[in-house]
C-alpha cells in the first residue's frame, strides 16, 4: 500500500475477503512439484492425524522462536528453519523425496566404486504369492524372514554367492497395490566379480530360484512360481533401476513412476485420495503405513558402506 489511506482500504478489503483467491495465481515453473508435495502432505495429516508425520513442516521445533527462512546461494533455493521434519520415508511426500534422493546417491556411489574394481552388478527381484484376501501385516514379516534365509541363513545360498563371486549386496524393500492386494517385493543388487550375459535365461537364475522356494517354505509362504517369483537381470537393468530408484516418492512425477497396469504405489493411493476424496484409497494408505512403519527400506551387506566410502547418514540427517 502506498499511503495510510490506501493501507486502511487494504485492511478493509482483506477483512471483506474480496482479494483474488491465491489458488488462481500461476505458479512459476519449477515450484509446482513442491506445491504438490505439500498438498499431499496436507492430506496425509487427515489420514494419519495421530502420527508424527502430521506435524511435519507444521509444528515449530522451538515454540519460543519463530519460523526462519534461509537462502542457499549455491543452490539458489530457500529453506525453512525451526520447523519439524518427520523424516518418514514411508508416509511423508516431502521427506520421502529428500530421503530417496539421498539413498539413490549412496547406492550409485557404491556401484560406481565396485565397477572401478572391475566388477559388475546384477539385479535379483524376489516376490511371493499373494491374494486380495492376504493380510499384509502377516505377509510382510514373513517376506522379511524369507529374505533373511535367502541371504544369510542357508549354507546353499552362501555356496552360490561363493561360486558366482558375489561379495556384496544391497536389498531394497518396495510395495505396490493391485487387484491381488498388497504386493511386497525385494530388489537386490548383487555385486559380483563376474560378467554374466543374459542372466534371466541362465542356470544361475534357476539355482537362486530353488533357494528362494526353500526360503519361502521356511517362512511359511506359499511356493513362488519360477515365472513370477524370481527374476535376474544384468548390469544395464540394475543401472536403469538405480537411476530411477525412489521416484515413487517423487509423487509429482507420476508420469515417470507409477504402478504398472492396474497396480498403484502407496503415493498413487495418496494422490487418488487427494484428488477424488476416495475413502477406500485413504484406508488402504493407512493399512500400508501401519504395516511398514519403522521398517528399513535399504539393507547393505556388512562392510560395503565402509569399503565404498559411503557416508553413514540417518533419514533424519538427510532431511535436516
Amino acid at each position: 500500500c502506498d499511503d495510510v489511506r490506501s493501507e486502511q482500504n487494504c485492511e478493509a478489503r482483506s477483512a471483506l475477503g474480496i482479494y483474488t483467491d491465491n489458488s488462481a495465481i500461476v505458479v512459476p515453473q519449477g515450484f509446482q512439484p513442491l506445491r504438490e508435495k505439500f498438498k499431499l502432505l496436507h492430506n496425509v495429516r487427515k489420514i494419519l492425524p495421530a502420527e508424527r508425520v502430521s506435524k511435519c513442516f507444521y509444528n515449530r521445533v522451538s515454540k519460543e522462536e519463530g519460523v526462519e527462512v534461509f537462502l542457499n546461494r549455491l543452490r539458489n533455493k530457500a529453506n525453512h528453519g525451526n520447523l519439524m521434519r518427520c523424516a518418514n520415508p514411508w508416509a511423508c511426500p516431502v521427506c520421502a523425496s529428500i530421503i530417496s534422493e539421498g539413498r539413490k546417491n549412496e547406492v550409485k556411489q557404491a556401484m560406481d566404486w565396485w565397477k572401478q574394481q572391475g566388477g559388475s552388478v546384477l539385479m535379483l527381484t524376489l516376490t511371493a504369492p499373494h491374494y486380495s484376501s492376504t493380510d499384509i501385516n502377516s505377509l510382510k514379516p514373513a517376506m522379511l524372514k524369507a529374505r533373511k534365509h535367502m541371504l544369510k541363513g542357508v549354507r546353499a545360498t552362501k555356496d552360490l554367492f561363493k561360486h558366482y563371486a558375489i561379495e556384496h549386496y544391497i536389498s531394497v524393500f518396495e510395495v505396490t497395490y493391485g487387484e491381488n492386494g498388497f504386493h511386497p517385493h525385494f530388489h537386490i543388487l548383487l555385486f559380483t566379480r563376474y560378467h554374466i550375459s543374459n542372466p534371466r535365461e541362465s542356470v544361475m537364475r534357476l539355482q537362486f530360484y530353488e533357494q528362494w522356494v526353500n526360503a519361502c517354505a521356511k517362512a511359511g509362504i506359499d511356493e513362488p512360481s519360477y515365472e513370477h517369483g524370481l527374476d535376474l537381470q544384468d548390469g544395464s537393468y540394475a543401472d536403469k533401476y538405480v537411476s530411477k530408484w525412489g521416484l515413487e516418492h517423487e509423487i509429482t512425477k507420476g508420469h515417470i513412476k507409477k504402478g504398472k497396469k492396474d497396480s498403484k504405489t502407496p503415493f498413487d493411493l495418496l494422490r487418488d485420495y487427494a484428488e477424488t476424496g476416495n475413502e477406500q484409497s485413504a484406508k488402504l494408505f493407512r493399512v500400508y503405513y501401519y504395516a511398514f512403519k519403522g521398517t528399513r527400506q535399504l539393507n547393505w551387506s556388512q562392510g560395503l558402506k565402509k569399503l565404498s566410502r559411503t557416508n553413514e547418514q540417518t533419514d533424519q540427517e538427510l532431511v535436516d
Side-chain angles (χ1 to χ4, degrees), residues 14 43 51-52 68 90 115 128 171 178 212 224 226 268 277 283 299 317:
S14 178
N43 284 276
E51 293 297 309
R52 189 170 184 262
E68 300 171 302
W90 296 105
K115 291 174 185 177
S171 175
W212 179 234
Y226 182 71
D268 284 332
K283 178 182 177 180
N299 283 272
E317 288 171 338

Side-chain angles (χ1 to χ4, degrees), residues 78-145:
N79 202 358
H80 292 98
N82 198 35
L83 277 180
M84 196 205 83
R85 293 161 171 79
C86 69
N88 190 320
W90 296 105
C92 179
V94 181
C95 290
S97 64
I98 300 170
I99 293 169
S100 62
E101 183 66 20
R103 297 303 180 210
K104 180 179 71 175
N105 292 335
E106 291 173 355
V107 172
K108 188 176 183 305
Q109 179 178 332
M111 290 177 65
D112 290 344
W113 163 80
W114 185 247
K115 291 174 185 177
Q116 291 172 3
Q117 316 304 310
S120 64
V121 181
L122 302 177
M123 182 161 147
L124 178 69
T125 300
L126 304 174
T127 188
H130 57 87
Y131 315 95
S132 58
S133 59
T134 303
D135 180 13
I136 186 61
N137 291 288
S138 299
L139 180 58
K140 189 211 77 174
M143 287 282 290
L144 290 172
K145 184 177 180 180

Side-chain angles (χ1 to χ4, degrees), residues 35-232:
R35 178 175 178 170
E36 291 301 315
K37 290 176 188 177
F38 277 99
K39 178 181 178 181
L40 290 184
L41 177 56
H42 174 69
N43 284 276
V44 174
R45 294 189 183 107
K46 297 179 184 178
I47 299 173
L48 303 169
E51 293 297 309
R52 189 170 184 262
V53 65
S54 67
K55 310 296 190 301
C56 189
F57 282 94
Y58 193 77
N59 283 19
R60 287 174 293 170
V61 177
S62 172
K63 295 182 179 180
E64 289 73 33
E65 300 179 13
V67 176
E68 300 171 302
V69 179
F70 299 98
L71 174 64
N72 186 325
R73 297 186 183 279
L74 293 176
R75 300 176 61 214
N76 195 31
K77 289 188 177 182
N79 202 358
H80 292 98
N82 198 35
L83 277 180
M84 196 205 83
R85 293 161 171 79
C86 69
N88 190 320
W90 296 105
C92 179
V94 181
C95 290
S97 64
I98 300 170
I99 293 169
S100 62
E101 183 66 20
R103 297 303 180 210
K104 180 179 71 175
N105 292 335
E106 291 173 355
V107 172
K108 188 176 183 305
Q109 179 178 332
M111 290 177 65
D112 290 344
W113 163 80
W114 185 247
K115 291 174 185 177
Q116 291 172 3
Q117 316 304 310
S120 64
V121 181
L122 302 177
M123 182 161 147
L124 178 69
T125 300
L126 304 174
T127 188
H130 57 87
Y131 315 95
S132 58
S133 59
T134 303
D135 180 13
I136 186 61
N137 291 288
S138 299
L139 180 58
K140 189 211 77 174
M143 287 282 290
L144 290 172
K145 184 177 180 180
R147 182 189 64 179
K148 184 176 181 180
H149 281 299
M150 181 73 174
L151 296 178
K152 298 180 179 180
V154 181
R155 176 61 184 270
T157 303
K158 294 179 180 179
D159 289 343
L160 281 179
F161 271 49
K162 184 177 180 180
H163 178 74
Y164 290 105
I166 299 170
E167 298 185 15
H168 310 283
Y169 66 83
I170 300 175
S171 175
V172 183
F173 200 8
E174 294 185 355
V175 60
T176 56
Y177 182 84
E179 60 181 11
N180 289 325
F182 285 102
H183 172 59
H185 51 280
F186 302 108
H187 293 302
I188 303 174
L189 301 173
L190 302 175
F191 291 62
T192 174
R193 293 288 180 186
Y194 293 159
H195 293 268
I196 299 174
S197 60
N198 196 17
R200 178 176 276 180
E201 305 298 329
S202 66
V203 175
M204 181 181 182
R205 181 188 176 192
L206 178 61
Q207 292 172 320
F208 271 93
Y209 167 71
E210 292 172 348
Q211 296 311 313
W212 179 234
V213 169
N214 293 334
C216 287
K218 291 184 178 181
I221 300 174
D222 292 344
E223 181 174 323
S225 69
Y226 182 71
E227 181 181 2
H228 301 293
L230 182 145
D231 196 13
L232 186 64

